[in-house]
Amino acid sequence: MTLQQLRYLVTVAECGNITEAAEKLFVSQPSLSVAIHNLEKEMGLVAFERSSKGVVVTRDGEELLSFARMLLEQAEIMQDHFKKQEKSLPKFSVSCQHYSFAVNAFVDTVKRYDADSYSFILRETQTAEIIDDVARGKSELGILYLSQYNEDVLSKLIKKKDLIFEELFVASPHVFISDTHPLAKEKEIKIEQLKKYPYLVFEQGDKNSFYFAEEFLSVLSMPKTIQVRDRATLFNLVIGLDGFTASSGIIDSNLNSSRIISKKLSMDCVMRIGIIKRPNSILSRFATYYLLRLNEILDDSLKL
């Protein structure tokens, strides 16, 4: 097995077509096919199902791809560390739930490593995809929360994917509402007070159960619920419909509407917000700096 074979494997999977991958890699189609076949033979599996329409990754192939991406990423980090290539293309990817502090740290990382060209990815996405992204090597880090309601299920899934969870901070329950909401002047809000208002939640696709929800109130029966896909839409509905969403309580008015305010929720539970990553992996300098800024931003926010 060589790094070149692993690069071939990843490129074929991304293209979904041997011919297109060969053109992208500047190799002949027969050479690429032989390299992939030899890798499959060495690993004792079939990575792709071939047809006249292209290739489809098998279940064994998905597992092999996750290791291939991880090894290629670690090799790149090692080269970057020892060769000190200041002109190497900055690359970093993080997948997260919809947290403004995660975006703030990402912005600072991009500014810190600004260059003539770079490839940074921030994926505010569904909970299950965050775990899959990190497991498959698409993202170095993932950010999500655990609570007494979802911890058993998510912890088992994280462990099954050979990942680890590291806590960043513990948050008490809050809700985001508009500054003109009928409950805006309340010092602390009770769940019963919220039931007549629309509850805004992030849609979770096929995994649309309370275990994968970003909002811990999803375990309760709320009579009015609206699902959305992005943060801007959610906050527009919070303002326009006197809606609310459950949260960690940390919000940045520079990235979100200044009309959104945070109110403590009278509820006996906590959110353990943290990162997921591959165990024993060497983080790139971009991921390392991102974590540094993330902790600094959280420290500053929690002091307020």
Side-chain angles (χ1 to χ4, degrees), residues 29-48:
Q29 183 177 335
S31 296
L32 179 57
S33 296
V34 169
I36 294 296
H37 176 72
N38 288 341
L39 179 61
E40 289 176 316
K41 185 177 180 180
E42 183 181 350
M43 295 295 106
L45 55 79
V46 176
F48 301 107

Side-chain angles (χ1 to χ4, degrees), residues 17-33:
N17 184 285
I18 293 285
T19 302
E20 184 181 337
E23 292 176 356
K24 189 173 182 179
L25 292 164
F26 301 103
V27 298
S28 68
Q29 183 177 335
S31 296
L32 179 57
S33 296

Side-chain angles (χ1 to χ4, degrees), residues 173-177 181-199 216-217 220-223 242-246 262-268:
H174 286 71
V175 289
F176 289 152
I177 57 176
H181 192 282
L183 300 175
K185 294 183 179 180
E186 296 284 337
K187 188 173 182 180
E188 187 169 312
I189 297 175
K190 296 179 181 179
I191 293 174
E192 286 300 318
Q193 293 176 282
L194 295 167
K195 288 196 172 181
K196 65 180 180 180
Y197 302 106
Y199 179 34
F216 50 84
L217 284 185
L220 304 176
S221 177
M222 304 302 288
D242 278 339
F244 71 96
T245 190
S262 176
K263 290 290 179 177
K264 186 173 176 57
L265 183 64
S266 180
M267 189 175 181
D268 186 22

Side-chain angles (χ1 to χ4, degrees), residues 24-92:
K24 189 173 182 179
L25 292 164
F26 301 103
V27 298
S28 68
Q29 183 177 335
S31 296
L32 179 57
S33 296
V34 169
I36 294 296
H37 176 72
N38 288 341
L39 179 61
E40 289 176 316
K41 185 177 180 180
E42 183 181 350
M43 295 295 106
L45 55 79
V46 176
F48 301 107
E49 292 179 358
R50 284 104 167 149
S51 72
S52 59
K53 295 181 180 180
V55 298
V56 177
V57 182
T58 64
R59 183 172 296 182
D60 286 338
E62 284 285 359
E63 188 174 3
L64 181 60
L65 276 164
S66 69
F67 283 103
R69 290 189 178 103
M70 179 180 66
L71 289 170
L72 289 171
E73 183 182 278
Q74 294 296 296
E76 190 172 312
I77 291 171
M78 183 178 68
Q79 288 177 331
D80 185 57
H81 177 79
F82 287 104
K83 290 185 178 180
K84 307 296 183 185
Q85 295 177 337
E86 294 298 329
K87 294 184 179 180
S88 62
L89 180 69
K91 292 198 300 184
F92 170 59

